DNA sequence: TTTAAATAGTTGACAAATATAACTAATATA
DNA sequence: TATATTAGTTATATTTGTCAACTATTTAAA
């Protein structure tokens, strides 16, 4: 049952479909873990252990109010801790626990394994171009006017009701 | 406030972040329309007017139960109609109304305009490679085991509870 | 040719994600 | 010092996605 073969769809839609399949495969790979969501946050922490919540939000394009719940969930699972930064007590450092570190290794491995598999029949050159263009498209999108999810603008002087920007459909 | 600069994230995560931004920009472009969701379904219908619900599901990787609500929403807005196929009365043809056709032109224009803008500083060669690789990655993902969202397998002999495959994080 | 299986679509209950405003606390700036 | 900004939290409402069970119809098998 193939999907998205020869069809002419906008690049944002294509990317969304790809990422949905990607996360479907990922969650199958990791279905034995007790944590069943937010793998990309753990992946990010593997390389950015001890960063702040806001830093995760900025890099993964998640709203800070949503991030609170993500962090709560991962703390409850015993994967991470939340520590106040003594030098700026507004900030909370997010650090992997021993348990979290262990499972995050498996998660990182699963991500990398999927990447290896799906890039297996693509040349290094084309892969590099793909990644470069994907990053460029993202940064080009950043300078276009958007509804302001992901950015924690101050909420003053808000006039109109917002529309959902859920990356679905 | 830049995001996703030099970071090392898996390709599925990168694609998700890009698509989130993409839809944020799109919804800003189209905020004057009364319909504020499901633009990609209308885009798809612009080229596949009269197809079945299942056909949309297959191509946009959306579960059929979710599609029912999408179609209901667009019917309520007066953009589409749902007509039973007389030759196979299980199938419902989805057709754009006059009103839907008119607004869908604007939606298609908005998608194309965004694509034009974000690819403006990327060569034709690199763009072609990007699109080709994106399609290839998607099809490579299809042959990997995944949790079976998007696919309407028969639900018999189901043993374990499913995990969410929401393309979020 | 009757029975079984598969397909297209629907429903309803529930879980998860998102939007939004209002809030505390801490720090930076004018 | 007063003001604004930043990091994070809470609460509420809405939207969206999940999933099992369902109807109706068509196809395939015995």
């Amino acid at each position: 049952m193939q999907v998205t073969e020869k069809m002419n769809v906008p690049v944002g839609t294509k990317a969304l479909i790809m990422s949905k399949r990607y996360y479907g495969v990922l969650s199958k790979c990791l279905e034995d873990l007790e944590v069943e969501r937010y793998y990309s946050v753990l992946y990010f922490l593997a390389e950015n252990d001890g960063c702040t919540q806001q830093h995760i939000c900025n890099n993964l394009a998640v709203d800070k109010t949503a991030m609170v719940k993500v962090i709560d969930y991962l703390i409850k699972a015993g994967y991470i801790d939340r520590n106040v930064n003594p030098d700026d007590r507004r900030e909370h450092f997010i650090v992997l626990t021993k348990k979290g570190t262990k499972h995050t290794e498996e998660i990182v491995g699963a991500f990398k394994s999927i990447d290896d598999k799906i890039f297996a029949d693509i040349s290094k050159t084309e892969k590099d171009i793909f990644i470069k263009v994907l990053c460029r498209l993202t940064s080009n999108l950043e300078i276009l006017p958007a509804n302001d999810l992901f950015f924690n603008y101050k909420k003053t002087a808000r006039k109109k009701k917002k529309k959902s920007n859920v990356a679905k459909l």
Side-chain angles (χ1 to χ4, degrees), chain A:
Chain A
M1 196 188 266
Q2 81 291 34
V3 167
T4 67
E5 329 79 74
K6 64 279 156 195
M7 57 163 184
N8 168 26
V9 280
V11 67
T13 307
K14 272 198 168 71
L16 176 59
I17 292 169
M18 190 273 264
S19 70
K20 282 168 111 174
R21 301 206 155 278
Y22 188 99
Y23 280 90
V25 171
L26 181 73
S27 93
K28 182 71 180 175
C29 290
L30 296 170
E31 66 184 351
D32 293 332
L33 281 181
E34 59 177 306
V35 159
E36 46 184 72
R37 281 190 291 285
Y38 314 133
Y39 298 128
S40 60
V41 172
L42 292 168
Y43 185 104
F44 185 77
L45 285 173
E47 296 191 332
N48 300 86
D49 200 13
C51 71
T52 64
Q53 290 182 209
Q54 188 59 54
H55 191 239
I56 305 172
C57 293
N58 289 343
N59 283 276
L60 297 184
V62 177
D63 185 81
K64 65 177 181 177
T65 64
M67 186 55 64
V68 173
K69 288 164 198 162
V70 173
I71 300 299
D72 288 347
Y73 174 90
L74 293 174
I75 288 175
K76 197 168 177 183
Y79 277 45
I80 60 174
D81 283 326
R82 182 156 33 195
N83 302 326
V84 172
N85 174 6
D87 295 329
D88 183 342
R89 294 163 38 71
R90 290 172 301 185
E91 295 182 334
H92 296 180
F93 291 145
I94 305 303
V95 292
L96 289 164
T97 60
K98 187 165 295 184
K99 176 182 176 185
T101 303
K102 182 179 141 222
H103 293 304
T104 296
E105 280 174 33
E106 183 180 348
I107 291 165
V108 170
F111 271 108
K112 289 191 191 298
S113 158
I114 294 172
D115 282 19
D116 286 349
K117 281 179 193 150
I118 64 179
F119 277 113
D121 58 351
I122 293 162
S123 73
K124 175 82 167 63
T125 313
E126 292 194 338
K127 176 178 176 177
D128 289 345
I129 290 171
F130 177 81
I131 300 291
K132 187 187 75 175
V133 172
L134 183 53
C135 292
R136 175 62 66 88
L137 294 177
T138 304
S139 71
N140 285 349
L141 283 163
E142 279 166 22
I143 59 176
L144 293 176
N147 280 334
D148 55 2
L149 78 172
F150 316 143
F151 297 111
N152 307 298
Y153 293 150
K154 59 181 199 283
K155 295 295 203 295
T156 51
R158 196 174 281 279
K159 304 143 184 192
K160 295 184 57 174
K161 72 176 193 310
K162 283 300 156 39
K163 302 186 177 187
S164 167
N165 287 321
V166 181
K168 298 278 148 94
L169 302 180

